[in-house]
Amino acid sequence: MKFSEAWLREWVNPAIDSNTLSEQLSMAGLEVDGIETVAGDFSGVVVGEVIECGQHPDADKLQVTKVNIGADELLDIVCGAKNCRQGLKVAVATVGAVLPGDFVIKKAKLRGQPSHGMLCSLSELGMADASEGIIELPQDAPVGQDIRQYLQLDDRIIEVDLTPNRADCLGIKGLAREVGVLNKLAVSESAIAPVVATITDKRSITLSAPDACPRYLGRVVRNVNVKAPSPLWLTEKLRRCGVRSIDAVVDITNFVLLELGHPMHAFDLAHIDGDINIRLAAEGEKLVLLDESEVTLKANTLLIADNSKALAMAGIFGGLHSGVTGETKDIFLESAFFAPLAIAGKARQYGLHTDASHRYERGVDPQLQHAAMERATALLLQICGGDAGPVVEAVSEQHLPKVAPINLSEAKLARILGISIAKDEVTAIFSRLGLGVAQTADGWQVSVPGYRFDISIAEDLIEEVARVYGYNNIPNVAPQASLAMRKFREAELNVQRLRTVLVDRGYQEAITYSFVDPKVQQQLFPQQPALVLPNPISADMSAMRLNLWPGLLQTVQYNQNRQQGRIRLFEYGLKFIPDAAAEGGVRQVAVIGGVIVGSMHNEHWNMENRVADFYDIKGDVEALLAQTSATDDFRFAGAEHSALHPGQTAAVYRADTLIGYVGALHPEAERNLGIKGKAYLFELDVAALGLRDIVQARELSKYPANRRDLAIVVKSEVRFADIAATIKKVGGNQLVDLKLFDVYTGTGVAEGFKSLAIALTLQDIARTLEDKDIQQLVNQVVNALGEEFNATLRD
């Protein structure tokens, strides 16, 4: 936002120069982007009055004038401006004057007529890029006064880059309030008196969307001279704020916008059919805007409408057919509060950005509408004349912004700022900011005015104290942090350890999105409902994952499409299970999962090039389970899973608790997903792995160990894990090792049976085991296996 420093100083005038003022604003969070002069560098230009003005005898486009500049004699000046006329007050560059660009005015003759000076235009004084005609000064301009002094051309234009939360400073009033706070000065705010209605004309107002527009004021003003010129003071203030003068009515609404920070709009009353209705647009409704472009409105767009049509996009852009033109006689003034959320993003939705939308989407004071209406009306009657009707207001109090009082403690303020500020000084800062403040036993209770949309919590108040107190006044103190060792349980199984195990076994870690393609997930979990995102990034990322496999399999497909044949990936992350009993209706479970495809090893001349199978990935899972040092607690059991091959699927249990699955990808899913080759998958619940068993040191036996080999015959369906559990139970502490070193089926073994060769290592901690002790233990093992599994020794 650009503003005139002189205009600001009309409200509050601290005893500091422009540079200090700019630095002060920047340090308070209103960053100054630049400072520029309001006019070019010139001297010797004074106020003059055209006493005589006549046609040049030898040039059709020139006029010969006599100009009074308060000297003993009138100046003869030849002028080519069409608007030059007798009685006009003008800017006169006298002989010896230096204009921008080091252009020196000298005595001259133009087509034979003497010219002792020049009547200046705005562009010639560096006040505009281009201009038509010479400057027309007010009739009360004092003849002979230096034009720089009269027009305050030693003024500066300051441009501030306001953050979106400081919409209260998008007007001179807000900026002046800020400067007053920083310099502990009172702001000279002009009183805005209500304009007495002289006619009874009015329009009724209906709030059909009160949540979007909770307050709307309207006023009829008749017999307005829209062709009345805007006074120089008005156009100059607009120019110095970067706003071009258009006509008196528009200039007045723009002036109120810049002065109070409140947007306004004027409609041609003759083009309003009946009463005013603030409503949402019908989908596909059309509106021609002031720039003559036609837009097709969306249903989320707030409109100002009459009984038959849309008049304007509320808070954004006026309509062409209801706009004020040179033929307008009567107008309808609007002053409204639109909720920021109702305007935010709507202008960009149509490729627009206006001064009004810029302010409304950031927040306008919901109590400022009456003041803006009265200010605009008074200026309109002063400049354009006319008769004003009564102000009609429609308001929905329940939808106006309300901010609960905020409590701030002294201790919190001191802790966050790092310094202690006197309580009375903090109270004074809040008061100067316009906040309602009451001291409490431990701090303050603060009520926030409507124009401070950015203050809602205690931390916002602390920020206000810091910037007004001055960041430079807060001493630099190095932070102190007392470090304490984090408590760590040796028994705690760290996820990083699981990652390391898989990396050591040739896996690479993948990180995939938590939201996946619902079609892919449906292939793997057809019966399990998933959480669907209301506003997904894209259609193929719209469901929360029920498992890590959808993301891993898509990563496999991506790599196979890039000629990667051997793939070993794992991922650690959350899966999201719909659960009405859980908080938020979703249960989040930390899991680790993996997938292998292709050969078991990288291609090598001295290694077997075989394809990985079920037992390879089962071995990887067992390596993970081994990190708990409690492998006996886990077991694998045949199972069924919608995503896995019916004959190559195992459920993983800890005791009787299911903690995961391992198996081959279902052939149908493999085909539908375009996976090349056999894919094997696993997933384990990390929390269910629990704490690992701590290795306990014990004395090593000094007595010899003995090995005995058994070859037993059992039915093919008997699991070795069950046999091993029985042997361990019978062997007790004397069984120190157990290995399966051969599995045989074929000649000598009946069909439907298998031969298992098992090595038992026996040792006692207190004595040497004798042959009879060893044989007795072996016999007990054989008997137990015979009873449990009908096992027999192989001949």
Side-chain angles (χ1 to χ4, degrees):
M1 174 185 170
K2 292 183 177 181
F3 67 91
S4 160
E5 182 184 347
W7 192 4
L8 175 70
R9 289 183 183 275
E10 291 176 13
W11 289 67
V12 58
N13 191 12
I16 54 179
D17 61 21
S18 302
N19 292 329
T20 305
L21 175 63
S22 298
E23 182 180 357
Q24 191 178 74
L25 289 172
S26 293
M27 290 304 298
L30 311 180
E31 184 180 357
V32 174
D33 273 354
I35 304 175
E36 57 185 272
T37 57
V38 301
D41 186 13
F42 65 86
S43 61
V45 182
V46 298
V47 177
E49 181 179 7
V50 179
I51 303 300
E52 296 180 9
C53 183
Q55 183 65 44
H56 191 290
D58 297 321
D60 294 338
K61 295 183 178 181
L62 297 178
Q63 299 179 78
V64 178
T65 66
K66 288 188 178 295
V67 181
N68 176 22
I69 61 168
D72 295 337
E73 297 180 358
L74 300 180
L75 297 180
D76 293 319
I77 298 176
V78 176
C79 176
K82 294 180 180 180
N83 64 327
C84 183
R85 60 190 181 274
Q86 185 178 356
L88 184 65
K89 291 289 183 72
V90 293
V92 183
T94 59
V95 173
V98 180
L99 299 186
D102 291 331
F103 179 69
V104 180
I105 302 298
K106 301 177 181 179
K107 291 183 179 181
K109 280 191 177 183
L110 296 177
R111 294 289 183 94
Q113 295 295 320
S115 184
H116 300 162
M118 184 174 78
L119 306 187
C120 300
S121 65
L122 290 172
S123 60
E124 287 164 340
L125 297 183
M127 298 171 64
D129 293 333
S131 56
E132 293 185 4
I134 56 177
I135 301 173
E136 297 189 21
L137 300 176
Q139 285 302 306
D140 60 356
V143 172
Q145 185 175 7
D146 190 297
I147 201 72
R148 297 194 74 91
Q149 180 184 356
Y150 176 67
L151 294 179
Q152 293 184 302
L153 295 183
D154 292 325
D155 187 12
R156 300 285 187 274
I157 297 173
I158 299 177
E159 183 174 4
V160 291
D161 184 13
L162 296 174
T163 51
N165 63 316
R166 293 308 307 271
D168 59 299
C169 291
L170 285 169
I172 295 294
K173 179 179 180 179
L175 288 168
R177 181 171 50 229
E178 199 73 10
V179 173
V181 169
L182 298 174
N183 292 280
K184 301 181 181 180
L185 296 175
V187 176
S188 302
E189 185 173 348
S190 301
I192 300 177
V195 175
V196 178
T198 55
I199 57 174
T200 59
D201 298 43
K202 61 183 178 179
R203 290 285 191 272
S204 296
I205 299 168
T206 302
L207 301 179
S208 296
D211 55 335
C213 177
R215 172 172 282 147
Y216 190 94
L217 277 65
R219 180 177 232 165
V220 173
V221 183
R222 292 194 177 275
N223 304 317
V224 175
N225 177 16
V226 297
K227 295 182 180 179
S230 295
L232 182 61
W233 67 264
L234 175 57
T235 59
E236 264 299 282
K237 285 189 172 178
L238 295 180
R239 180 185 73 83
R240 298 180 193 188
C241 293
V243 177
R244 181 173 57 90
S245 174
I246 298 174
D247 60 53
V249 175
V250 175
D251 289 352
I252 288 167
T253 58
N254 282 336
F255 177 83
V256 174
L257 173 81
L258 295 170
E259 182 183 55
L260 302 181
H262 192 287
M264 295 190 67
H265 188 67
F267 298 94
D268 189 332
L269 187 66
H271 293 91
I272 297 178
D273 180 14
D275 297 322
I276 300 296
N277 184 14
I278 295 85
R279 60 173 175 82
L280 291 173
E283 189 68 38
E285 189 173 355
K286 307 284 188 180
L287 177 64
V288 179
L289 302 177
L290 283 170
D291 61 0
E292 300 185 2
S293 64
E294 184 180 66
V295 293
T296 301
L297 300 170
K298 299 182 183 299
N300 64 353
T301 304
L302 189 67
L303 296 180
I304 311 300
D306 59 18
N307 292 345
S308 61
K309 63 184 179 299
L311 301 175
M313 295 169 67
I316 299 175
F317 217 144
L320 177 65
H321 302 304
S322 62
V324 174
T325 68
E327 307 304 318
T328 300
K329 300 296 182 186
D330 308 313
I331 67 172
F332 180 80
L333 269 181
E334 163 194 281
S335 179
F337 172 74
F338 301 116
L341 290 179
I343 306 301
K346 302 304 184 299
R348 290 187 294 277
Q349 185 174 263
Y350 298 98
L352 301 172
H353 183 268
T354 63
D355 288 337
S357 68
H358 186 81
R359 285 162 173 80
Y360 274 124
E361 65 188 7
R362 286 160 172 75
V364 169
D365 185 356
Q367 307 300 326
L368 193 57
Q369 287 70 50
H370 280 280
M373 176 64 77
E374 300 295 355
R375 180 64 163 149
T377 304
L379 290 172
L380 190 66
L381 299 183
Q382 173 188 334
I383 297 170
C384 302
D387 302 299
V391 176
V392 178
E393 178 182 17
V395 61
S396 175
E397 293 287 348
Q398 63 182 8
H399 291 102
L400 286 171
K402 296 177 179 63
V403 180
I406 304 170
N407 291 310
L408 174 62
S409 68
E410 284 186 274
K412 184 172 186 177
L413 178 66
R415 176 171 55 84
I416 293 180
L417 291 186
I419 60 170
S420 228
I421 303 176
K423 193 171 185 179
D424 289 342
E425 185 173 356
V426 174
T427 303
I429 289 174
F430 287 148
S431 298
R432 296 204 308 275
L433 284 167
L435 311 180
V437 57
Q439 292 189 4
T440 60
D442 65 341
W444 304 266
Q445 185 178 70
V446 180
S447 57
V448 182
Y451 56 82
R452 289 306 300 267
F453 282 83
D454 58 317
I455 300 178
S456 58
I457 58 177
E459 285 72 12
D460 296 331
L461 294 175
I462 294 172
E463 181 182 6
E464 292 299 295
V465 172
R467 69 184 193 82
V468 174
Y469 181 78
Y471 295 116
N472 289 336
N473 296 325
I474 299 176
N476 295 325
V477 179
Q480 295 180 349
S482 55
L483 302 178
M485 293 296 291
R486 185 176 69 89
K487 291 183 178 180
F488 175 75
R489 298 179 63 187
E490 188 179 357
E492 185 179 324
L493 182 58
N494 195 310
V495 173
Q496 187 57 40
R497 179 58 190 152
L498 301 179
R499 287 188 169 109
T500 302
V501 169
L502 291 173
V503 170
D504 289 345
R505 298 178 74 87
Y507 284 77
Q508 291 184 330
E509 185 170 8
I511 300 175
T512 65
Y513 286 106
S514 297
F515 20 90
V516 297
D517 189 338
K519 294 179 181 178
V520 173
Q521 187 152 265
Q522 183 70 16
Q523 290 284 339
L524 303 176
F525 309 96
Q527 305 300 325
Q528 192 171 352
L531 296 168
V532 179
L533 299 173
N535 298 297
I537 296 175
S538 62
D540 58 355
M541 299 178 75
S542 59
M544 299 303 292
R545 65 186 178 195
L546 298 166
N547 188 286
L548 298 179
W549 296 341
L552 287 172
L553 288 171
Q554 286 183 296
T555 306
V556 167
Q557 183 188 44
Y558 181 90
N559 280 272
Q560 286 185 334
N561 290 340
R562 284 151 182 81
Q563 300 182 0
Q564 299 300 311
R566 181 179 181 272
I567 301 170
R568 300 171 75 83
L569 300 172
F570 79 92
E571 181 174 8
Y572 169 75
L574 296 175
K575 63 180 181 180
F576 305 86
I577 312 299
D579 186 348
E583 183 179 355
V586 59
R587 182 161 45 90
Q588 302 183 45
V589 182
V591 290
I592 190 167
V595 59
I596 62 174
V597 181
S599 59
M600 180 59 188
H601 304 287
N602 283 318
E603 189 173 355
H604 191 273
W605 65 272
N606 196 31
M607 296 181 69
E608 179 187 359
N609 188 19
R610 68 174 182 85
V611 177
D613 59 22
F614 172 85
Y615 292 102
D616 292 320
I617 197 165
K618 179 174 178 286
D620 296 332
V621 172
E622 288 174 334
L624 292 176
L625 301 180
Q627 302 309 306
T628 65
S629 302
T631 52
D632 292 345
D633 293 349
F634 299 94
R635 63 186 176 88
F636 294 83
E640 292 186 359
H641 191 287
S642 61
L644 300 177
H645 193 293
Q648 298 185 50
T649 301
V652 185
Y653 290 90
R654 183 166 195 170
D656 295 325
T657 303
L658 176 66
I659 67 168
Y661 286 93
V662 58
L665 180 63
H666 197 288
E668 184 176 350
E670 188 178 283
R671 182 174 58 256
N672 293 337
L673 296 177
I675 303 297
K676 302 167 188 174
K678 203 73 172 175
Y680 296 91
L681 304 154
F682 77 85
E683 184 182 82
L684 298 175
D685 184 342
V686 173
L689 294 179
L691 301 177
R692 62 180 177 176
D693 289 346
I694 302 300
V695 175
Q696 301 295 326
R698 64 181 183 182
E699 184 182 357
L700 293 176
S701 176
K702 59 184 178 180
Y703 300 101
N706 295 271
R707 170 171 169 160
R708 292 291 186 272
D709 293 345
L710 297 177
I712 61 172
V713 178
V714 294
K715 290 184 177 180
S716 298
E717 61 268 19
V718 175
R719 299 170 63 248
F720 173 71
D722 297 331
I723 292 174
T726 299
I727 294 174
K728 291 176 181 178
K729 182 178 179 181
V730 174
N733 293 333
Q734 291 181 337
L735 180 67
V736 295
D737 195 16
L738 170 65
K739 288 187 177 68
L740 173 67
F741 63 87
D742 187 46
V743 179
Y744 173 75
T745 58
T747 305
V749 177
E751 187 176 351
F753 287 80
K754 61 185 176 182
S755 171
L756 303 178
I758 305 170
L760 308 179
T761 302
L762 306 174
Q763 189 180 34
D764 195 285
I765 191 70
R767 63 189 179 91
T768 300
L769 291 177
E770 299 180 1
D771 286 344
K772 64 177 181 177
D773 299 324
I774 295 170
Q775 190 59 47
Q776 181 183 357
L777 185 57
V778 171
N779 292 339
Q780 290 174 353
V781 169
V782 172
N783 292 336
L785 295 178
E787 291 175 3
E788 289 283 339
F789 308 105
N790 200 24
T792 61
L793 289 174
R794 182 180 173 190
D795 296 334

